[in-house]
Amino acid sequence: MPALACVDAAAPPPGYVFAWDGALPAPGIFPGDTPTTAGGVTADRPSDWSTDLSASLYRIEGWGAPYFCVNSDGDIAVRPHGAATLAHQEIDLMKVVKKATDPKSAGGLGLRLPLLVRLPDVLKHRLESLQQAFDFAIRSNVYGSRYQGVYPVKCNQDRYIVEDVVEFGAPFRFGLEAGSKAELLLAMSCLTRGSPDAFLICNGYKDEEYIALALFARSMDLNTVIVLEQEEELDTVVDTSQRLGVRPVIGLRAKLRTKHSGHFGSTSGEKGKFGLTTAQILSVARKLQRLDMLDCLQLLHFHIGSQIPTTSLLSDGVGEAAQIYCELARLGAAMRVIDIGGGLGIDYDGSHSDASDMSVGYGLDEYAGAVVRAVMFACDRKRVRHPIICSESGRALVSHQSVLIFEAVSSNATRAAPLSSVGPNSALFLDELADDARSDYNNLMAAAYCGEYETCAVYANQLKQRCIDHFKDGVLGLEHLAAVDGLCDLVAEELGVADPVRTYHINLSLFASMPDFWAIGQLFPVVPIHHLDQQPGVKGILSDLTCDSDGKVDRFIGGQSSLPLHEIKGGEYYLGMFLGGAYQEALGGLHNLFGGPSVVRVAQSDGPHCFAVTLAVPGRSCADTLRAMRHEPEAMIAALGHRAGDCAAGDAVLCAIARAFDSMPYLVRGAEEEEERESMMRCLGL
């Protein structure tokens, strides 16, 4: 039988009236085609599939090493201590999800998805690895000073993350960087428990109140440096310090010529948003000299841009800044610190490439070595003492330490529906088409009968467009249009030109949890966290819960426009977004009043599941998100109570409404859905 079995088996010779009962044979394989799964992913020998193949397919070794891998159960596992993690220390993310979402009566925490899993052990390992990379570069190059980093709290201001950085970094004098008054207050409080030598770097635009806070911090023996972003800030610093009687330590942010050409380099170069030009730097130095305060100038800061792609660009920028540092020392400033800012990139797509903003062509050791050599070269030529090297590597520190887990709740249809689904008389609907559409229809059938498949596609498209025009003109009924759509979909499927990509609907707000994807096109690794011992059979994109056409993930790492996924077969299907620990929580919005996810803090332990949950926080409720937009849930409940009083079972209705205010805005699924239904029924007395 020819390949277009769906139409061919019933196609009459030209000139005969066509009629059939709408029950079409199953589509066959087009000649020469490779068998595919329903979603369009080639399925050669699914029995040969392995977890190693899944790891390769999703590039997990590229972007996830040394912290994420696929275990023998086909689940994503966390290696909290990096490459030094022992097998029995790996944390299975599916077990974390089960612990977090199981009801309390079953020993779980009763949290709802989406779920943000924080991994403090990974954060600790990242900080220690950064320190070790610089320590090695300093030793191997016989550098005459030390590395002393700071964490820019803007990357993630979560209390426990900042406190962890201070605790884990105390042995290394690791400090904090603030860019606003609120961040400064946060940093001041946290650093009271840190190393007394840790830097408190004060960046950002400043007014008198900001500068006063920084000087108060210095008076409390916090190692505070006020970095001038604009020349006019110097007058405020001088006046405020004299009024308070606190001598400041001052830094300058230099506006370098070196420019990072990628998206993240928009704040670099001569026309960058921040920093002082060489003329302004000289002006500040001379003014401090006149005021007998040149000894207060001790730090030079610069920032090439986030995600610096190559060490050659890095060396160029650091070398330029080091020359400015040496010149300031020559002018008499008491220089002792060069702050190279951020820019240490991470490999989002696993390509280890410098060709895009999604990857970098170096590792920690190469980065640290390039910085140390560039500073050392400039200082040695000018015979200037080697400065303390400070960096603000926030993205590289915190990106790996959290995983966002969410559920795919459904997907769109995979195959064209049979014409019988339109109604019992679908064939008659096709017979009742207007003359021009009827001609296209007969030509389509004749082409199918003769095996002219390219011609079939032409007539199918022509028929569909003509019938759409007739429907818009009111000539064609809805049943007729549905019958034509069904026929054309079947033809497209048989010809192999149907879109193989399916839409998976996810219980998540892109705008709340992945804002950088929508805002700047940032790609994050998105991977199923289970079933990785099975071959994915579907090509999919992800559509979120919001009423916004931008609420979808349709671009993935590796330049892919779809993601290999598994069928949703009546159970849960969980996906994880990785490397999103920087910026996403602070930037997330409340579109459609979807708030942030539930949060668990998971540490490696010697217990039966290799982990312990040290903190569990439910996601924001409907009441919480309403309050964020200045609504008053209590007043809203009272107003609804007056209206509910006029209803039958008014008290029960109000009880159910009040419960909804306390619930998360996201969908309730599975056992949670049953619990919610039973609670609602109890409220209603049913």
Side-chain angles (χ1 to χ4, degrees):
M1 179 181 290
L4 274 176
C6 62
V7 294
D8 213 23
Y16 285 79
V17 175
F18 184 87
W20 82 97
D21 63 3
L24 301 178
I29 297 171
F30 206 67
D33 275 4
T34 302
T36 61
T37 64
V41 178
T42 301
D44 296 326
R45 293 193 300 266
S47 61
D48 293 340
W49 198 255
S50 69
T51 55
D52 288 340
L53 289 174
S54 284
S56 175
L57 177 67
Y58 295 108
R59 299 186 173 203
I60 294 172
E61 284 297 317
W63 57 259
Y67 302 110
F68 303 103
C69 63
V70 183
N71 64 21
S72 58
D73 292 329
D75 300 337
I76 295 284
V78 179
R79 309 184 75 201
H81 311 301
T85 305
L86 303 176
H88 70 276
Q89 295 175 323
E90 292 183 356
I91 300 171
D92 189 322
L93 284 178
M94 279 302 295
K95 292 179 180 177
V96 174
V97 171
K98 178 174 173 55
K99 176 66 177 178
T101 60
D102 274 359
K104 294 180 180 179
S105 58
L109 300 172
L111 299 177
R112 291 183 177 174
L113 295 179
L115 179 70
L116 190 68
V117 180
R118 295 203 195 283
L119 303 161
D121 295 313
V122 171
L123 175 58
K124 184 173 188 288
H125 188 270
R126 290 295 293 173
L127 192 152
E128 291 173 347
S129 298
L130 177 61
Q131 184 71 42
Q132 289 165 7
F134 271 99
D135 287 348
F136 177 78
I138 285 167
R139 287 194 309 271
S140 60
N141 289 281
V142 197
Y143 186 79
S145 189
R146 67 177 185 268
Y147 169 74
Q148 191 175 327
V150 296
Y151 168 61
V153 298
K154 68 178 181 180
C155 290
N156 195 320
Q157 300 97 337
D158 179 79
R159 169 190 169 185
Y160 297 98
I161 290 176
V162 179
E163 289 180 352
D164 281 345
V165 168
V166 171
E167 178 187 346
F168 301 153
F172 315 115
R173 307 183 184 93
F174 216 86
L176 299 174
E177 179 269 346
S180 68
K181 283 180 267 191
E183 289 184 350
L184 178 54
L185 290 167
L186 181 163
M188 290 168 62
S189 174
C190 288
L191 283 176
T192 60
R193 299 182 293 278
S195 166
D197 296 324
F199 290 130
L200 171 51
I201 304 293
C202 299
N203 288 334
Y205 294 129
K206 304 168 191 70
D207 59 9
E208 184 178 345
E209 187 176 37
Y210 185 130
I211 291 166
L213 284 173
L215 292 170
F216 292 149
R218 184 142 196 90
S219 69
M220 292 186 286
D221 292 328
L222 295 176
N223 193 6
T224 310
V225 183
I226 301 172
V227 178
L228 304 181
E229 304 274 0
Q230 303 175 95
E231 184 180 2
E232 53 266 32
E233 289 176 352
L234 177 61
D235 293 335
T236 309
V237 171
V238 171
D239 293 345
T240 307
S241 66
Q242 291 175 347
R243 178 169 56 83
L244 297 177
V246 180
R247 196 163 181 83
V249 173
I250 297 172
L252 299 176
R253 177 165 179 167
K255 187 177 290 187
L256 303 183
R257 266 60 167 198
T258 304
K259 183 169 176 58
H260 173 3
S261 60
H263 167 81
F264 295 108
S266 59
T267 55
S268 64
E270 291 184 88
K271 296 184 179 181
K273 178 179 177 182
F274 303 105
L276 280 66
T277 64
T278 52
Q280 291 171 324
I281 290 171
L282 281 172
S283 174
V284 167
R286 287 168 179 160
K287 184 166 188 176
L288 286 172
Q289 188 174 36
R290 290 195 302 270
L291 294 169
D292 198 23
M293 293 179 67
L294 194 54
D295 62 308
C296 295
L297 180 56
Q298 299 181 17
L299 178 146
L300 180 74
H301 170 49
F302 66 95
H303 179 65
I304 300 172
S306 294
Q307 285 288 106
I308 296 174
T310 65
T311 54
S312 59
L313 175 63
L314 173 68
S315 297
D316 193 23
V318 174
E320 180 187 350
Q323 295 295 338
I324 298 173
Y325 177 94
C326 292
E327 288 299 298
L328 288 171
R330 180 182 63 81
L331 292 171
M335 302 300 291
R336 67 187 189 96
V337 182
I338 185 165
D339 179 353
I340 65 173
L344 172 54
I346 62 171
D347 194 352
Y348 286 104
D349 65 12
S351 65
H352 303 294
S353 164
D354 57 16
S356 78
D357 291 334
M358 305 307 159
S359 185
V360 291
Y362 54 83
L364 291 179
D365 289 335
E366 292 93 338
Y367 176 86
V371 169
V372 169
R373 287 190 295 272
V375 174
M376 188 173 176
F377 179 76
C379 290
D380 287 350
R381 288 185 66 188
K382 296 290 182 72
R383 296 184 179 179
V384 172
R385 186 173 59 183
H386 296 169
I388 296 170
I389 296 175
C390 176
S391 77
E392 303 175 5
S393 305
R395 184 187 299 270
L397 278 181
V398 300
S399 290
H400 298 76
Q401 59 78 40
S402 71
V403 180
L404 177 69
I405 296 175
F406 51 94
E407 186 179 10
V409 296
S410 64
S411 66
N412 62 354
T414 175
R415 302 190 71 88
L419 290 186
S420 56
S421 66
V422 177
N425 299 315
S426 55
L428 296 178
F429 292 142
L430 293 171
D431 284 337
E432 295 170 359
L433 299 176
D435 289 345
D436 52 356
R438 176 78 181 162
S439 176
D440 292 331
Y441 173 51
N442 286 333
N443 288 335
L444 167 61
M445 293 302 150
Y449 185 79
C450 298
E452 298 171 356
Y453 302 117
E454 292 184 5
T455 306
C456 278
V458 172
Y459 282 124
N461 290 333
Q462 193 168 302
L463 170 64
K464 188 170 186 175
Q465 188 55 54
R466 201 184 300 276
C467 289
I468 290 171
D469 293 340
H470 288 175
F471 180 76
K472 290 179 179 179
D473 292 338
V475 176
L476 207 61
L478 186 63
E479 298 90 345
H480 300 86
L481 185 62
V484 170
D485 284 343
L487 174 65
C488 292
D489 287 346
L490 283 169
V491 171
E493 190 172 275
E494 284 295 312
L495 291 172
V497 296
D499 185 2
V501 178
R502 291 163 56 182
T503 299
Y504 275 52
H505 306 287
I506 56 175
N507 194 13
L508 186 74
S509 165
L510 188 73
F511 305 93
S513 296
M514 296 174 62
D516 270 351
F517 176 86
W518 164 73
I520 62 172
Q522 175 67 51
L523 302 184
F524 299 96
V526 177
V527 181
I529 65 167
H530 57 151
H531 299 315
L532 297 177
D533 54 347
Q534 304 168 31
Q535 183 175 14
V538 179
K539 293 179 181 178
I541 62 171
L542 309 178
S543 177
D544 78 352
L545 293 178
T546 64
C547 301
D548 196 303
S549 58
D550 286 333
K552 62 182 178 181
V553 184
D554 56 1
R555 287 171 287 116
F556 302 90
I557 63 171
Q560 301 301 308
S561 58
S562 63
L563 182 69
L565 296 168
H566 304 84
E567 292 281 359
I568 302 176
K569 298 178 180 177
E572 295 87 0
Y573 190 53
Y574 299 112
L575 297 139
M577 183 200 80
F578 296 80
L579 308 187
Y583 298 109
Q584 303 316 294
E585 294 168 60
L587 294 176
L590 289 174
H591 193 13
N592 276 156
L593 293 184
F594 287 108
S598 301
V599 179
V600 290
R601 189 170 183 267
V602 176
Q604 188 268 319
S605 76
D606 296 328
H609 296 308
C610 307
F611 69 88
V613 177
T614 60
L615 179 73
V617 181
R620 298 174 81 175
S621 66
C622 292
D624 293 333
T625 60
L626 287 163
R627 286 191 188 96
M629 302 305 291
R630 309 291 190 273
H631 296 281
E632 299 178 4
E634 295 78 12
M636 297 166 74
I637 292 173
L640 291 168
H642 292 305
R643 182 61 62 92
D646 299 331
C647 302
D651 290 344
V653 170
L654 183 59
C655 172
I657 290 173
R659 282 184 57 83
F661 274 91
D662 291 333
S663 177
M664 283 180 71
Y666 294 94
L667 302 183
V668 180
R669 299 275 297 161
E672 292 178 356
E673 187 174 18
E674 187 59 34
E675 281 186 26
E676 196 70 21
R677 186 183 298 111
E678 290 177 2
S679 176
M680 182 78 72
M681 292 299 100
R682 284 195 299 272
C683 280
L684 296 173
L686 300 175

